[in-house]
Amino acid sequence: MLGIAMVAVCGIANAKATKGTDEPLTENYVMNTYVAAITQGNLKNFNRILETEVTFNMVQNNETKALDRDDVLANLKLNEGVKQECTTNTSKVKETPDGTVYQVDMKYADHTRTDMVTIVEGSTGWKVTDVTTSYK
């Protein structure tokens, strides 16, 4: 299991840094861009990797808060360029003909944030369609 996680992390880390607006988005590029936005405040092309109707759910204290694309983009803009003080591990947890689910764990000094990120391949490449965030 640890070996699979390391392979996924290495693959994401080696993903191409930029994509032109007409190039299809690869699976690795989408996950690399997602992790860079969430952990380093790097929003370059983040908007491009999100499906139009993407859903975000934050689960905290047994309560779920739903956010839409605009809510998340506005929140990330407030923290643009801010690097999170955490250790990040990304692993592919499920692959189906309909899409792939990745687990992104961000370990801070006093808690862990886990994002379950669903991506789906469409006509313009891979896009994030759903993110569920929980805290431990």
Side-chain angles (χ1 to χ4, degrees):
M1 185 71 167
L2 182 58
I4 292 171
M6 292 299 290
V7 169
V9 170
C10 291
I12 290 170
N14 290 325
K16 207 172 173 185
T18 60
K19 282 245 181 241
T21 56
D22 58 344
E23 292 181 61
L25 300 170
T26 65
E27 185 175 350
N28 284 341
Y29 177 79
V30 168
M31 286 308 300
N32 190 46
T33 301
Y34 178 84
V35 170
I38 300 302
T39 63
Q40 300 171 15
N42 180 355
L43 300 184
K44 182 176 182 179
N45 293 320
F46 183 70
N47 190 41
R48 186 165 178 248
I49 69 163
L50 300 178
E51 186 62 56
T52 305
E53 299 298 321
V54 64
T55 57
F56 293 87
N57 293 294
M58 304 207 51
V59 180
Q60 197 168 19
N61 300 325
N62 294 324
E63 193 174 306
T64 302
K65 180 178 182 182
L67 304 168
D68 65 19
R69 177 189 181 107
D70 292 338
D71 293 333
V72 171
L73 289 171
N75 186 286
L76 287 174
K77 281 227 182 261
L78 293 173
N79 295 304
E80 189 168 5
V82 175
K83 187 172 181 175
Q84 298 294 307
E85 303 267 340
C86 65
T87 303
T88 305
N89 184 37
T90 303
S91 57
K92 187 185 288 190
V93 294
K94 185 177 181 182
E95 193 168 8
T96 69
D98 297 327
T100 303
V101 178
Y102 282 87
Q103 181 171 326
V104 181
D105 289 316
M106 292 156 275
K107 295 184 184 195
Y108 295 85
D110 60 349
H111 71 284
T112 299
R113 170 184 166 161
T114 299
D115 286 2
M116 300 303 291
V117 182
T118 302
I119 62 173
V120 174
E121 187 174 22
S123 62
T124 59
W126 292 85
K127 297 246 181 168
V128 175
T129 60
D130 183 77
V131 178
T132 300
T133 301
S134 61
Y135 299 89
K136 293 186 229 176

